[in-house]
């Protein structure tokens, strides 16, 4: 159990109709911790990630972020979401706005920052992800890897307490994966609290403090990456690793 | 031909009446229609129900019946307004149901992820809708809204039967003056074409301006 818990899921259960997608999930993410969630498709890892900011409501259990239980839909939930950044598989940049506007919009409208301050910060973040030169373009004019880096900058512009990554590289061409992982790696080194759902085992090994392995809606293993990858405890995890690591 | 030149001011008044009805009722319909579309996709159940009832009732009532309901019904509850205002209310409310459905169809063309991204950044429902979803829905909504407003311009003829000055109603005095029915109506038709083709032109421009590839 981490010393300073930031995200705590306790007894979380979720059903999609008949399908039981999250089963009695217990997960604590400490402040500054990087937790990588892996597992076969359909194991519930994306749902778990989306449940943390209530993009997916859960039927049972409690989820708290920084000591606050997730409020029901409404302004209180919006305030909480403002503090939790999210990066999606399909980038989801606002298609009708320029790159700079994408990064500035929420700080302006949600945080009510001044325009000059929001723009200065947005340019700083775009510079950090290496895309300042593209500030005036529309998302559709960027490559997938570039769009995803903008999406990360957009989330960071809100000064989030934690960042959720829902398969951030799964929709990318292979040669663009690294540019996104490098930004994430850097974030992890700076002490950002991160929950990362991914298939990138290299990232899990190098950046994660803990690896959570899920299958059939349950957390099967929750361990230090080195231990998990060299000596998985369960057959299920061994089977999964053998399929993805050797080919 | 002389029917037009002899009665230019009569035609002009009628055309102006139709333009006024179209503009005022159109503005009302757009405002209410977008609002009701917002209701219909809102997370609040009461608003969704209200929106559904609004659309169902107004879309399924014959417009003439609606005119009767407004012009004869409202005064019974002590609401006495000029006929022109009643006509704008009836036309606007009726058309708002169709605008609402066009806007809702447009909202459904915006990928779900856009709204999710907005919400994940802490935007409220209203901000998500007005800053992210509606601006992107607008592109696909321009053509059907153009059609709806053209229908509104033509529907405004019904107001003529309720003592409101508009284009179609000009045939009555002209008929009494003994002008030929065919040319009277040809010039009325030209008047409607001026209004409807203007709407089509404006929406064509809007589509070229905002309908660009994303």
């Amino acid at each position: 159990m981490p010393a300073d818990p930031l995200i705590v899921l306790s007894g979380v259960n979720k059903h999609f109709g008949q399908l039981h997608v999250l089963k009695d999930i217990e997960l604590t993410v400490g402040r500054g911790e990087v937790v990588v969630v892996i597992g076969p498709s359909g194991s519930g890892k994306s749902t778990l990630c989306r449940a943390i900011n209530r993009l997916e409501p859960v039927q049972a259990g409690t989820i708290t972020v920084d000591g606050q239980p997730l409020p029901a839909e409404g302004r209180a939930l919006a305030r909480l979401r403002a503090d939790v950044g999210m990066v999606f598989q399909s980038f989801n940049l606002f298609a009708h706005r320029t790159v700079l506007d994408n990064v500035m919009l929420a700080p302006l409208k949600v945080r009510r920052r001044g325009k000059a301050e929001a723009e200065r910060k947005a340019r700083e973040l775009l510079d950090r992800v290496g895309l300042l030169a593209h500030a005036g373009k529309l998302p559709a004019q960027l490559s997938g890897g570039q769009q995803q880096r903008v999406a990360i900058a957009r989330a960071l512009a809100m000064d989030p307490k934690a960042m959720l990554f829902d398969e951030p590289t799964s929709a990318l061409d292979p040669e663009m994966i690294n540019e996104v992982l490098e930004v994430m790696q850097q974030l992890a080194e700076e002490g950002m609290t991160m929950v990362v759902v991914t298939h990138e085992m290299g990232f899990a090994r190098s950046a994660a403090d803990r690896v959570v392995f899920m299958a059939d809606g349950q957390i099967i293993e929750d361990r230090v990456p080195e231990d998990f990858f060299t000596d998985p405890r369960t057959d299920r995890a061994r089977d999964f690793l053998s399929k993805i690591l050797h080919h | 031909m002389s029917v037009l030149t002899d009665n230019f001011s009569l035609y002009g008044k009628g055309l102006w009446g139709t333009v006024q009805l179209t503009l005022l009722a159109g503005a009302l319909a757009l405002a209410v229609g977008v609002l009701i579309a917002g209701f219909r996709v809102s997370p609040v159940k009461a608003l969704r129900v209200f929106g559904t009832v609004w659309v169902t009732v107004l879309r399924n009532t014959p417009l003439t019946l609606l005119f009767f309901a407004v012009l004869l019904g409202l005064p019974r509850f002590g609401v006495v307004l000029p006929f022109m205002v009643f006509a704008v209310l009836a036309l606007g409310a009726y058309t708002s149901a169709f605008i609402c459905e066009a806007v809702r169809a447009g909202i459904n063309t915006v990928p779900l992820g856009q709204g999710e991204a907005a919400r994940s950044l802490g935007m409220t429902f209203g901000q998500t809708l007005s800053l992210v979803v509606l601006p992107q829905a607008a592109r696909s909504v321009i053509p059907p809204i153009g059609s709806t407003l053209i229908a509104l311009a033509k529907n405004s003829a019904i107001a003529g039967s309720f003592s409101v000055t508009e284009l179609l109603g000009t045939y009555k005095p002209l008929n009494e003056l003994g002008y030929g029915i065919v040319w009277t109506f040809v010039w009325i038709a030209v008047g409607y074409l001026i209004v409807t083709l203007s709407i089509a032109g404006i929406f064509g421009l809007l589509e070229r301006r905002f309908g660009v590839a994303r």
Side-chain angles (χ1 to χ4, degrees), chain A residues 5 7 14 23 26 44 55 64 66 85 95 100 103 116 137 161 165 179 206-208:
Chain A
I7 300 170
K14 178 171 178 70
K23 297 176 186 161
E26 304 284 336
L55 283 181
T64 63
D66 208 7
L100 184 66
V103 182
K137 291 188 182 172
K161 293 175 184 164
F165 293 83
E179 62 190 64
S206 62

Side-chain angles (χ1 to χ4, degrees), chain A residues 50 78 81 92-93 96 109, chain B residues 114 116 119-120 122 127 131:
Chain A
R50 291 161 56 84
R81 280 178 178 148
N92 294 347
L93 291 179
H96 62 306
K109 302 291 180 179
Chain B
Q114 295 284 315
E116 283 188 344
R119 285 190 288 148
S120 81
Q127 288 175 323
L131 296 170

Side-chain angles (χ1 to χ4, degrees), chain A residues 9 14 16 22 46-59 63 65 70-74 77-78 80-82 84-92 154 164-166, chain B residues 112-123 128:
Chain A
L9 289 84
K14 178 171 178 70
F16 280 126
L22 294 178
S46 273
T47 311
L48 174 78
C49 185
R50 291 161 56 84
I52 294 174
N53 68 357
R54 213 177 180 276
L55 283 181
E56 298 287 354
V58 297
Q59 278 97 29
I63 301 172
V65 176
L70 281 192
E73 203 71 44
L77 180 62
L80 184 137
R81 280 178 178 148
V84 179
M86 178 134 193
V87 176
F88 299 84
Q89 180 176 349
S90 47
F91 330 130
N92 294 347
R154 178 176 70 175
L164 310 173
F165 293 83
D166 184 6
Chain B
L112 220 55
Q114 295 284 315
E116 283 188 344
R119 285 190 288 148
S120 81
L121 286 163
M123 290 188 200
T128 301

